[in-house]
Amino acid sequence: MKKLLFSQQSNQRHWVGDGFPVRSIFTYNDLAKDISPFLLMDYAGPAVFPPSKHIRGVGEHPHRGFETVTIVYSGEVEHRDSSGGGGLIKPGDVQWMTAASGLVHEEKHGREFAEKGGAFEMVQLWVNLPRKDKMANPRYQGLKNENIPKVALAGGAGYARVIAGDFNGNKGPGSTFTPINLWDIRLNSGHQAEFKVPAGHTTAIFVLSGRVTVDSGETIQEAELAVLDREGDSFTLKAVDDAKILFLGGEPIDEPIVGYGPFVMNSMGEIKQAFIDFEAGRMGTIGNIEGTES
């Protein structure tokens, strides 16, 4: 069984644009080597937005050298980017955007959600790319809820949705550059489930709501990330309450990580080049989604 290395949480919220009240659970400045290939996790919400004619969100900004993965639990997020990718993701949907060689994108609330208002909750991950793929062409994957396998856990313990990777022989639709498992798990109060993962992969669980205990008996609270060791190939979670959990694990990318703002590369020279390319317009541009102030 895998052992708990450490856990951490953040109760400090900040706004990304005017649409995303975010807690940064980890960044590439602290845990990138511990849970490679993952670079960053922002947890937005839970929050309730009033109806508005103004479409909240964050405007055009660049990325290079990694991917963003946005998982929507409630509300809507609409994405557009300078490579032509984009779409509307609703509860249960996932957006997997590969910035790679560079693009400019914007993320807004969906128009219908903005007009009606309501509950909003999402997680955004940044996923590193290996050196050989950092300058690949950008791409966009809009993964719809109905295309994400939902697998029942033994003994009525709950279920796991397989966003990427493999869970008990069920493969997720997310296409990745390196081996990654990303599972959206629900665990019913008083039940437990054992999870098999590849030995040597990084292993982390994030509890969005409820509480769970790990093999060694520690309790992981709401909005807390638990990082397990790379030894062994299984771990067990037991739900103290009904729990909503995001599992993230993958094959580590053992290469230098140099990040500055929206760019993550392997050297400072590559970071400087990213800024030069962005300022020269080589990452493209997009127009703004129209909307009026409320």
Side-chain angles (χ1 to χ4, degrees), residues 4 37 46 65 136 144 155 189 195 243 251 269 281:
L4 176 68
K144 294 299 184 181
S189 178
F195 300 89
E251 183 177 88

Side-chain angles (χ1 to χ4, degrees), residues 78-100:
E78 188 166 4
H79 162 95
R80 297 195 303 167
D81 67 51
S82 57
S83 75
L88 179 68
I89 51 174
K90 298 184 177 185
D93 297 344
V94 177
Q95 167 199 289
W96 202 300
M97 183 197 78
T98 303

Side-chain angles (χ1 to χ4, degrees), residues 11-67:
N11 293 316
Q12 299 297 315
R13 295 195 188 204
H14 64 277
W15 283 90
V16 175
D18 63 358
F20 307 108
V22 161
R23 283 173 276 184
S24 292
I25 306 303
F26 66 85
T27 75
Y28 54 74
N29 291 317
D30 53 14
L31 294 188
K33 292 185 181 299
D34 295 291
I35 54 175
S36 175
F38 301 97
L39 294 167
L40 175 146
M41 174 188 283
D42 277 346
Y43 178 35
V48 176
F49 286 92
S52 174
K53 293 182 180 179
H54 167 63
I55 300 176
R56 301 176 177 90
V58 59
E60 294 186 24
H61 58 283
H63 290 304
R64 172 178 281 181
F66 61 94
E67 304 179 284

Side-chain angles (χ1 to χ4, degrees), residues 235-275:
F235 65 94
T236 300
L237 298 178
K238 183 176 181 179
V240 180
D241 319 295
D242 288 346
K244 180 165 58 178
I245 304 156
L246 182 64
F247 170 83
L248 46 155
E251 183 177 88
I253 300 173
D254 292 323
E255 296 174 354
I257 297 171
V258 180
Y260 193 95
F263 307 130
V264 182
M265 302 298 289
N266 298 116
S267 70
M268 186 53 68
E270 291 170 328
I271 294 292
K272 292 178 180 178
Q273 186 63 50
F275 277 101

Side-chain angles (χ1 to χ4, degrees), residues 9-247:
Q9 61 186 149
S10 172
N11 293 316
Q12 299 297 315
R13 295 195 188 204
H14 64 277
W15 283 90
V16 175
D18 63 358
F20 307 108
V22 161
R23 283 173 276 184
S24 292
I25 306 303
F26 66 85
T27 75
Y28 54 74
N29 291 317
D30 53 14
L31 294 188
K33 292 185 181 299
D34 295 291
I35 54 175
S36 175
F38 301 97
L39 294 167
L40 175 146
M41 174 188 283
D42 277 346
Y43 178 35
V48 176
F49 286 92
S52 174
K53 293 182 180 179
H54 167 63
I55 300 176
R56 301 176 177 90
V58 59
E60 294 186 24
H61 58 283
H63 290 304
R64 172 178 281 181
F66 61 94
E67 304 179 284
T68 66
V69 181
T70 305
I71 304 160
V72 174
Y73 295 91
S74 57
E76 294 177 347
V77 177
E78 188 166 4
H79 162 95
R80 297 195 303 167
D81 67 51
S82 57
S83 75
L88 179 68
I89 51 174
K90 298 184 177 185
D93 297 344
V94 177
Q95 167 199 289
W96 202 300
M97 183 197 78
T98 303
S101 60
L103 50 66
V104 173
H105 79 146
E106 67 177 13
E107 298 158 293
K108 303 278 188 177
H109 290 185
R111 184 178 296 275
E112 183 177 347
F113 174 75
E115 292 175 352
K116 293 182 178 179
F120 187 89
E121 185 179 23
M122 62 163 248
V123 166
Q124 185 170 94
L125 300 167
W126 288 12
V127 180
N128 202 11
L129 292 171
R131 179 185 284 109
K132 67 182 182 63
D133 295 314
K134 281 189 176 291
M135 294 300 288
N137 292 328
R139 71 181 183 189
Y140 178 87
Q141 301 175 71
L143 311 179
K144 294 299 184 181
N145 181 37
E146 58 268 24
N147 297 325
I148 297 174
K150 182 177 177 180
V151 184
L153 302 176
Y159 65 85
R161 295 195 318 134
V162 191
I163 298 168
D166 180 277
F167 181 83
N168 293 348
N170 298 274
K171 297 188 180 300
S175 176
T176 65
F177 285 79
T178 59
I180 289 173
N181 283 315
L182 187 62
W183 308 330
D184 172 24
I185 300 169
R186 300 297 186 279
L187 201 56
N188 297 327
S189 178
H191 288 72
Q192 68 179 39
E194 182 178 355
F195 300 89
K196 295 284 188 180
V197 294
H201 279 206
T202 55
T203 301
I205 61 168
F206 179 64
V207 178
L208 289 88
S209 63
R211 294 173 295 164
V212 301
T213 59
V214 294
D215 291 291
S216 49
E218 292 94 345
T219 299
I220 310 303
Q221 309 281 344
E222 183 175 295
E224 185 172 7
L225 179 83
V227 179
L228 308 183
D229 66 12
R230 299 185 190 183
E231 303 300 319
D233 63 357
S234 67
F235 65 94
T236 300
L237 298 178
K238 183 176 181 179
V240 180
D241 319 295
D242 288 346
K244 180 165 58 178
I245 304 156
L246 182 64
F247 170 83

